[in-house]
Amino acid sequence: GAVVSQHPSWVICKSGTSVKIECRSLDFQATTMFWYRQFPKQSLMLMATSNEGSKATYEQGVEKDKFLINHASLTLSTLTVTSAHPEDSSFYICSARILAGGETQYFGPGTRLLVL
Amino acid sequence: RKEVEQDPGPFNVPEGATVAFNCTYSNSASQSFFWYRQDCRKEPKLLMSVYSSGNEDGRFTAQLNRASQYISLLIRDSKLSDSATYLCVVNRQSNYQLIWGAGTKLIIKP
C-alpha cells in the first residue's frame, strides 16, 4: 500500500525558533499533499493544500508567513513553523493524494510539536 | 454551524453489543463520504467509504441519507479493539479537500 512518512515524529523547541516538518510519499507520486493540525480532543483542521510546483492554498485563518509550505517534488512537501510559540504546540499531520488516484488520501504518522 | 457534526461521546458499550453513530453535514453538494478511525496519538486510518446504496464491510455497515444529509456507521458484535475515535469525513469537492468531524469516541468494555 501507499506509504507516507513524516519527520520528525516529535519535536520540542524553545519559543521563537523555527521548526521544519517533512512529509514524504515513499512509493508513489503525490500530486497534492495536505497539511492538517489537530489539537487535543478536536478534529483535524485543514491548514493548507499543497500542489507540486505551485504555491500552497491556505485555509482561512492560517497565516501564510507563519506556516511556510514548500512542495518542490512529487514526493516531498515541507511545513516550516516559523517563530514557533506555545500556542503552536499541536499534532501536525500530512496526507498525500496519489496522482490520478481519486480522492483517497494516505496519511503520515504525524508530528507532535511542543513549544516551550 | 460546523460543516460536519458528530456527537463527541464517549459511547461506553459492552463487548459484543451493537453501536451506531450518526454524522450530519451541511454542504448538500458533497459527493464523497468516509469513516475514518483514529487511535490515541496516531494518524487517522480509513475505515470505509460510504456509498449512496449503503455498504458493508464485515461487522461495519455505513449508510448515507442525502435528503437529510447524514451518514451513519453501525458496528455489530463490537470488540475491545474497536475502541477508538471514529471520524466522519466529507469532501469539499474542490481540490479533493476533506472536511473532518470532531469524532465520536467509542469505548468497548469487557
Side-chain angles (χ1 to χ4, degrees):
Chain A
V3 178
V4 176
S5 70
Q6 267 185 254
H7 178 79
S9 55
W10 58 270
V11 59
I12 302 173
C13 68
K14 292 181 180 179
S15 184
T17 58
S18 293
V19 176
K20 180 187 278 190
I21 303 170
E22 292 185 349
C23 177
R24 291 181 186 273
S25 56
L26 298 185
D27 51 0
F28 65 97
Q29 293 185 323
T31 333
T32 308
M33 288 185 171
F34 303 89
W35 286 97
Y36 296 88
R37 181 168 56 180
Q38 186 178 32
F39 293 106
K41 298 186 179 181
Q42 293 187 26
S43 64
L44 273 73
M45 297 297 297
L46 180 64
M47 298 176 68
T49 302
S50 170
N51 290 299
E52 184 266 337
S54 62
K55 290 183 179 179
T57 304
Y58 290 80
E59 293 299 299
Q60 192 174 8
V62 178
E63 299 174 55
K64 300 178 184 181
D65 296 331
K66 171 98 178 150
F67 299 98
L68 301 178
I69 291 173
N70 183 283
H71 193 161
S73 78
L74 283 171
T75 59
L76 174 64
S77 176
T78 60
L79 168 68
T80 300
V81 183
T82 61
S83 187
H85 291 284
E87 58 266 29
D88 297 323
S89 300
S90 188
F91 188 42
Y92 292 86
I93 309 175
C94 73
S95 70
R97 187 176 74 84
I98 292 178
L99 184 68
E103 293 177 309
T104 302
Q105 293 185 23
Y106 298 90
F107 284 83
T111 296
R112 291 207 176 271
L113 171 63
L114 176 61
V115 185
L116 302 175
Chain B
R1 183 187 173 188
K2 294 180 182 177
E3 288 189 71
V4 179
E5 296 205 60
Q6 292 181 252
D7 180 342
F11 284 47
N12 291 283
V13 175
E15 190 177 9
T18 296
V19 60
F21 318 130
N22 281 345
C23 158
T24 58
Y25 61 95
S26 61
N27 187 347
S28 59
S30 297
Q31 293 295 322
S32 301
F33 311 90
F34 310 90
W35 282 103
Y36 276 74
R37 169 195 170 125
Q38 186 175 25
D39 293 290
C40 188
R41 296 179 173 271
K42 300 283 188 182
E43 75 278 19
K45 294 189 185 297
L46 179 64
L47 181 65
M48 57 196 307
S49 301
V50 186
Y51 304 120
S52 297
S53 55
N55 49 302
E56 187 174 309
D57 182 2
R59 296 182 294 111
F60 299 85
T61 301
Q63 296 279 355
L64 168 63
N65 185 318
R66 286 190 185 273
S68 302
Q69 294 181 209
Y70 80 79
I71 308 146
S72 65
L73 176 68
L74 181 80
I75 305 175
R76 288 181 299 277
D77 188 24
S78 53
K79 313 288 184 191
L80 294 176
S81 57
D82 294 334
S83 297
T85 296
Y86 290 83
L87 301 163
C88 173
V89 186
V90 175
N91 84 323
R92 190 183 271 173
Q93 269 217 306
S94 61
N95 205 15
Y96 300 96
Q97 292 174 337
L98 300 177
I99 307 302
W100 298 72
T104 297
K105 187 170 184 177
L106 174 65
I107 300 171
I108 306 298
K109 298 191 170 182

